[in-house]
Amino acid sequence: NAGVTQTPKFQVLKTGQSMTLQCAQDMNHNSMYWYRQDPGMGLRLIYYSASEGTTDKGEVPNGYNVSRLNKREFSLRLESAAPSQTSVYFCASSEARTGFQPQHFGDGTRLSIL
Amino acid sequence: DQQVKQNSPSLSVQEGRISILNCDYTNSMFDYFLWYKKYPAEGPTFLISISSIKDKNEDGRFTVFLNKSAKHLSLHIVPSQPGDSAVYFCAAVSSGSARQLTFGSGTQLTVLP
């Protein structure tokens, strides 16, 4: 089973360029999440979508936008990339309707902004 | 202000011995705690969780202990195997946060053969 699939796996951008990171899950989960991980830090939530049609800001939303395209897909967009956005980005999903369920993560997108 | 802290960036143990990874938290509203394991170039993988109403949960070689009065949890791995070498993240969820995970900074576990 594919689980959570992120594309691309690697990307190098110049400052000011725009980019959309794609995420798709095949587990029929309602909730999806975008995190960033920086060296020496845990994962920090950027945006999340509790269910199809809704999105909300997380801890570090500045400089990002998201789209919950349908139940399967949740994209993250950088409109004008900055060096501070160099990071590893992880998408996750969970079935949050029935009590607590753990989040399942993709393998990440490594993004470098020059 | 870090709500979930892992104060040990790294830990080395001998194969076959016990590995103990620690985590402290400050938010009393957390009601679930999780441990994730992460290999290089892969996403975090869920390992084990514990509800705040319990003090222990076991799954094979992995046991998580929760001490609510001390706001402390630990992950015990017995016996440790070389394949357990990875970064371990502690994470917490509060019921009022739309199930958002708050992560610690991780502990690199190295199991020496």
Side-chain angles (χ1 to χ4, degrees):
Chain A
N1 291 336
V4 179
T5 302
Q6 292 184 235
T7 55
K9 293 190 185 304
F10 303 93
Q11 186 70 47
V12 179
L13 294 177
K14 294 181 180 178
T15 298
Q17 287 186 315
S18 62
M19 166 105 196
T20 299
L21 280 61
Q22 308 286 354
C23 175
Q25 52 92 8
D26 62 3
M27 296 173 282
N28 201 35
H29 286 166
N30 287 302
S31 301
M32 298 186 73
Y33 309 82
W34 275 106
Y35 293 87
R36 60 178 287 173
Q37 186 194 7
D38 300 300
M41 301 182 73
L43 282 74
R44 291 182 293 166
L45 184 65
I46 304 171
Y47 270 94
Y48 67 98
S49 171
S51 60
E52 188 178 355
T54 68
T55 61
D56 286 286
K57 295 178 180 179
E59 180 185 355
V60 288
N62 291 346
Y64 305 95
N65 286 300
V66 290
S67 296
R68 183 74 182 266
L69 305 170
N70 48 54
K71 190 171 185 179
R72 289 187 65 249
E73 298 172 290
F74 188 37
S75 63
L76 178 72
R77 182 161 178 84
L78 288 72
E79 289 291 352
S80 178
S84 61
Q85 294 178 304
T86 293
S87 190
V88 182
Y89 292 85
F90 290 100
C91 177
S93 70
S94 69
E95 179 48 71
R97 260 191 211 166
T98 53
F100 171 73
Q101 297 293 333
Q103 294 179 18
H104 299 264
F105 286 82
D107 284 340
T109 294
R110 283 148 187 80
L111 186 60
S112 293
I113 316 294
L114 305 178
Chain B
D1 179 33
Q2 271 190 296
Q3 297 187 62
V4 178
K5 294 181 183 179
Q6 294 177 257
N7 292 316
S8 298
S10 63
L11 173 69
S12 292
V13 298
Q14 211 67 38
E15 181 179 4
R17 306 295 289 268
I18 184 171
S19 296
I20 300 176
L21 295 96
N22 294 303
C23 179
D24 298 296
Y25 64 96
T26 58
N27 188 343
S28 300
M29 298 302 293
F30 288 142
D31 56 359
Y32 273 96
F33 301 89
L34 306 88
W35 286 93
Y36 280 86
K37 176 179 179 180
K38 186 183 179 305
Y39 292 118
E42 295 185 8
T45 302
F46 170 70
L47 196 56
I48 192 169
S49 65
I50 187 167
S51 164
S52 60
I53 63 173
K54 296 187 175 182
D55 55 17
K56 179 182 175 181
N57 188 27
E58 276 184 272
D59 184 1
R61 296 186 297 114
F62 303 92
T63 303
V64 57
F65 294 92
L66 176 62
N67 182 333
K68 283 185 67 177
S69 60
K71 293 190 173 65
H72 177 82
L73 68 155
S74 60
L75 174 68
H76 293 210
I77 306 174
V78 184
S80 301
Q81 300 173 354
D84 295 330
S85 297
V87 176
Y88 288 78
F89 290 100
C90 170
V93 180
S94 64
S95 58
S97 67
R99 294 311 193 191
Q100 294 179 46
L101 285 175
T102 300
F103 282 85
S105 54
T107 297
Q108 171 71 58
L109 173 66
T110 302
V111 180
L112 305 168

